[in-house]
Amino acid sequence: MRHFLTLNDFSKEEILEILDLASKIKKRAKKKIFKPYLKDQCLAMIFEKSSTRTRVSFDVGMYQLGGHAMFLSSNDIQIGRGEPIRDTSRVISRMCDMAMLRVNRHETLTEFAKYSTVPVINGLSDKFHPVQLMADLLTVIEHKIKIKDIKVAYVGDGNNMAHSWLMMASKLGFELKIATPKGYEVDQQILEQALKNAEISGAKISVSNDLKWAIKDVNVVTTDTWISMGQESEKEKRLKDFVGYCVDDTMMKLAKKNAIFLHCLPAYRGYEVSEGVFEGHADEIFDEAENRLHAQKGVMVWLDKHRK
């Protein structure tokens, strides 16, 4: 049984296969051609953390693939009342064909997947956000940047997005520079795994606290909110610690002339990105948002194919 918990579980060839499948599904969808790959199947969507894009994209995606998506908040099921995760997993995987979880702790996902007899997809955890990276790479490819030529600057919090960029870069072999404020660096174990992967793929991975160094001469600039869901109590401290890490026009000028800017959303203008940069790159950002739908359809179809 293959699950989609972290990109580290996939080879370069498998990631590219899923992206190619997603691209083909998207092209047909644009012509209103929907092949029922998952006809009459049910996707259980378990949300400990709410989301606009994750809920809509999986719900619509499953519908377009011929199946049905079932929304389950932690208040709707016994997992929110203390039922062991393994028991919830065993029940849901006997009634549904696939499960997507958006959770607070990555360990919840791994425990759920351990006992599941159906594919499990990480819709976000505190450590990784792999479906977002599939959408991001699909967007990069659509903007005519070849895999071997990708040079990414990720700036901001060393969070699940930074970790997922580390996994993607280290698997596909492109260049990634990460700049975070002091005290907000990426997880050391995840960085070490990425560097180990890079020895095989040839990826160039480096980390720093220098924003200007990161952005210089790259063709993809990306960031994320400084205050993720659940960190509201840290807002004032984070706003002080992240001073100078806003991607504004001055910073973007350090990148290559035709560099694209990505943001997984929601975006807070004036904090991690300026109004000018956001609106100047809105087409790319909302291509990226739409690609959550298409990339995740690719993931679901691929997982279904590889369990038979």
Side-chain angles (χ1 to χ4, degrees), residues 40-59:
D40 297 330
Q41 292 195 33
C42 182
L43 170 71
M45 304 190 301
I46 299 175
F47 283 80
E48 287 185 341
K49 302 180 78 170
S50 60
S51 169
T52 300
R53 281 150 293 278
T54 300
R55 180 171 181 180
V56 175
S57 57
F58 272 106
D59 202 330

Side-chain angles (χ1 to χ4, degrees), residues 109-120:
L109 270 169
T110 56
E111 176 80 357
F112 193 100
K114 180 179 179 181
Y115 291 92
S116 177
T117 55
V118 299
V120 177

Side-chain angles (χ1 to χ4, degrees), residues 75 104 124-125 163 169 184 230 240 266-268 277 283 296 304:
N75 294 325
N104 295 311
L124 175 141
S125 72
H163 296 160
Y184 295 90
K240 292 178 182 178
Y268 300 94
V277 168
D283 287 347
Q296 289 162 186
D304 182 63

